[in-house]
Amino acid sequence: MFSHTRRPLKGLVILTGILAAGATLADSTQNAPGAACVAINGASLTVRDDGEAENRTASLVTAICPAERPIGTGTTTTLSGRVFVVDQSTTSEVCCRAVSKNPLGAKVTGAWQCSTGSSANYQALDLASLSDTYTFSSFYLECQVPALSGGNASRIQMYRATQQ
């Protein structure tokens, strides 16, 4: 009889744990290497042995860097990000933005954030947030990486996607 009276409490503890776990899904931050980014429109990025992705071509490359969006209890609706880049171009900047797109083709884009000046050191680009309440939309970061400049390649070192 004593164990029978404890079962509802045990169930309440489990339910509370599940609800607490679901609530934490709404705030999500993930880091990913630049190698997770994919060049689009037939272009290519070279993946380095340190997980960074660089543009070793003579043309600007646009890359999409995926952000997994949790769905269910606590579904996220806001995306922002930080991209760590090395801009070695003397004529162009590395530029990135947050993007949300749903299967119907509707796209929500954040403002472009660009590097400043050419340097072998990294720069952190803080991306403006965007909001999309449609749960069937996907989130990603989009970056434009300049062409080779004087034999030096610009690159995406890593990125952080933050969702709320």
Side-chain angles (χ1 to χ4, degrees):
M1 188 152 142
F2 180 71
S3 64
H4 191 276
T5 59
R6 290 175 48 107
R7 283 188 186 167
L9 181 58
K10 182 179 177 182
L12 180 60
V13 170
I14 292 170
L15 179 60
T16 303
I18 291 170
L19 290 174
T24 61
L25 283 178
D27 292 336
S28 170
T29 299
Q30 62 178 355
N31 288 340
C37 300
V38 178
I40 62 171
N41 298 328
S44 66
L45 290 170
T46 301
V47 176
R48 298 163 31 126
D49 62 4
D50 59 4
E52 298 179 9
E54 65 185 3
N55 181 3
R56 300 213 50 84
T57 72
S59 302
L60 175 86
V61 171
T62 298
I64 290 176
C65 307
E68 291 189 31
R69 185 177 183 198
I71 300 297
T73 302
T75 299
T76 60
T77 59
T78 303
L79 171 68
S80 62
R82 174 177 267 194
V83 184
F84 294 83
V85 302
V86 174
D87 175 6
Q88 298 194 90
S89 174
T90 56
T91 59
S92 297
E93 310 300 340
V94 177
C95 296
C96 300
R97 66 181 177 179
V99 179
S100 177
K101 183 194 172 294
N102 67 48
L104 299 175
K107 211 173 181 183
V108 178
T109 58
W112 288 104
Q113 178 65 37
C114 299
S115 58
T116 54
S118 176
S119 173
N121 297 319
Y122 82 86
Q123 297 181 45
L125 308 180
D126 289 315
L127 308 184
S129 66
L130 61 81
S131 182
D132 186 349
T133 58
Y134 292 107
T135 60
F136 57 92
S137 294
S138 59
F139 285 164
Y140 59 90
L141 305 181
E142 178 181 9
C143 293
Q144 295 181 337
V145 185
L148 275 174
S149 180
N152 297 314
S154 295
R155 62 187 183 269
I156 302 168
Q157 293 185 301
M158 59 87 58
Y159 64 96
R160 175 175 295 152
T162 302
Q163 302 176 50
Q164 296 176 323

